[in-house]
Amino acid sequence: MSERVLSGVQPTGRLHIGNYYGAIRQWAAGQESGAENFFCIVDLHALTVPTAPEALRESVLYTAAAYLACGIDPQKSVVFRQSPVAEHAELQWILGCMTPLGWLNRMTQFKEKTQRDKQLNCLGLYSYPVLMAADILLYHATRVPVGEDQKQHIELARDIALAVNGRVGQELFTIPEPAVAREAARVMSLRDGREKMSKSAPSDYSRINLTDSDDEIFFKIARAKTDSIPGLTYDPENRPEVANLIRIYAAASGVTPSQVEAEYEGAGASAFKHALTDRLVADVAPIRDGIRRLYDDGRAHLLAVLREGEGKAREVAGRTLREVKEAVGLWAE
Ligand code: ADP
Ligand code: TRP
């Protein structure tokens, strides 16, 4: 069977270079490989944390603009919104009835998220990985390019697929493989090398957003935390912040951390930071301009892309859900 790639991002705020180098850049590059590609804006997932309705709608359009500006080509990939394809929520229920609670209790992201503000803990946060499994399995995805933090969820999707296949005695679902970027699997915060760069971190200085101006990139890298050890050495254990900057440089330049180390070992921290800023500006500036253009002037185009994608997604998802219903004893008309 040919390769099917599926991935998604929650429309919950502005995207950053962790999302780009860790996930979306891989999606764009893979479009040339001859695989079928499905890139979803997972708006149902975004409801797991309280969001103002207008902000959510805007985030969906912004995320669509970001996908296209990062090089996702709607001629080569199906770009769609999750919520109008009702099969996602339906399959989630069926899979939820076959997922042992013990498997969900192991999910580290659930444990982290439920520690934050206990008043906001809801069933959706707990069942989120089952919805993600439905997103993947509906499309018979063979490959799911994501950052390191999502790997455990894909392993759960594999376990669920294997369990359901075993139970119904047929190869109902394809078993997906996670695909994680090498240097950028886990881009860390610019303020704390032990924290992941994240949309939801309170300090904007912790991340480089895909819409940051050249000056903002310059100032954020200039203020990025380092340490007092002289010289540039790649030592993730003892120098997490410096190691993170080296990995970001490596991801942006397509080289390895040891090549970066060799090139900048003798240079001062500020020379390295200038070079890193230049690399980031070269990648971010065209994306930023593309997002702005599409988001400000191309709304009708974005909506048309999403609508077209939705139609294509529904065809595939509808077929899979009918097979699943038959297999579990619900008739599918
Ligand atoms: P965030 O954690 O910032 O809210 P999402 O959870 O929406 O981002 O992640 C969208 C995609 O980007 C996922 O594939 C995720 O693994 C990837 N990703 C998010 N943050 C990072 C990061 N710091 N480094 C690498 N990949 C990341
Ligand atoms: N849970 C993912 C995240 O927070 C987003 C997501 C939802 C996803 N469904 C997916 C990613 C399916 C890959 C495939 O980043």
Side-chain angles (χ1 to χ4, degrees), residues 6-8 10 42 45 128 132 135-136 144 146 150:
L6 178 134
S7 197
Q10 297 187 61
V42 289
H45 279 86
Y128 175 116
M132 180 162 163
D135 300 339
I136 295 167
V144 187
V146 286
Q150 294 301 317

Side-chain angles (χ1 to χ4, degrees), residues 128-203:
Y128 175 116
V130 183
L131 179 58
M132 180 162 163
D135 300 339
I136 295 167
L137 301 181
L138 269 179
Y139 297 90
H140 292 288
T142 52
R143 199 147 48 87
V144 187
V146 286
E148 177 79 34
D149 63 312
Q150 294 301 317
K151 223 171 140 188
Q152 192 186 34
H153 290 155
I154 296 162
E155 277 151 14
L156 178 80
R158 288 170 63 89
D159 289 343
I160 294 175
L162 288 165
V164 176
N165 286 354
R167 181 146 150 181
V168 301
Q170 53 172 294
E171 295 297 302
L172 197 51
F173 294 126
T174 303
I175 312 303
E177 290 284 344
V180 174
R182 217 165 15 118
E183 314 306 345
R186 194 169 169 81
V187 176
M188 308 309 276
S189 156
L190 301 178
R191 310 301 299 160
D192 178 350
R194 296 178 201 277
E195 287 276 326
K196 189 180 83 112
M197 183 178 285
S198 165
K199 288 176 210 157
S200 51
S203 167

Side-chain angles (χ1 to χ4, degrees), residues 182-221:
R182 217 165 15 118
E183 314 306 345
R186 194 169 169 81
V187 176
M188 308 309 276
S189 156
L190 301 178
R191 310 301 299 160
D192 178 350
R194 296 178 201 277
E195 287 276 326
K196 189 180 83 112
M197 183 178 285
S198 165
K199 288 176 210 157
S200 51
S203 167
D204 202 48
Y205 268 85
S206 67
R207 60 186 161 256
I208 306 280
N209 301 306
L210 296 182
T211 41
D212 281 348
S213 67
D214 294 357
D215 282 351
E216 281 169 314
I217 296 172
F218 175 84
F219 286 121
K220 285 179 178 181
I221 294 297

Side-chain angles (χ1 to χ4, degrees), residues 21-54:
Y21 293 131
I24 306 175
R25 185 171 67 165
Q26 294 191 76
W27 311 354
Q31 292 179 124
E32 310 308 324
S33 69
E36 286 179 81
N37 301 286
F38 292 83
F39 299 121
C40 188
I41 297 174
V42 289
D43 50 1
L44 292 175
H45 279 86
L47 292 178
T48 51
V49 289
T51 314
E54 210 37 56

Side-chain angles (χ1 to χ4, degrees), residues 74-139:
Q75 304 295 323
K76 296 179 184 154
S77 298
V78 178
V79 177
F80 67 108
R81 207 152 53 90
Q82 180 188 36
S83 62
V85 186
E87 285 84 354
H88 290 244
E90 265 194 84
L91 181 61
Q92 181 219 209
W93 178 259
I94 296 173
L95 298 181
C97 295
M98 303 184 185
T99 305
L101 292 183
W103 293 3
L104 293 177
N105 294 337
R106 285 206 299 268
M107 295 296 110
T108 53
Q109 195 179 67
F110 170 73
K111 289 184 207 162
E112 279 162 26
K113 285 190 176 174
T114 47
Q115 286 310 310
R116 287 181 202 159
D117 181 350
K118 298 214 166 140
Q119 304 244 24
L120 300 180
N121 290 349
C122 60
L123 175 60
L125 271 182
Y126 190 58
S127 54
Y128 175 116
V130 183
L131 179 58
M132 180 162 163
D135 300 339
I136 295 167
L137 301 181
L138 269 179
Y139 297 90

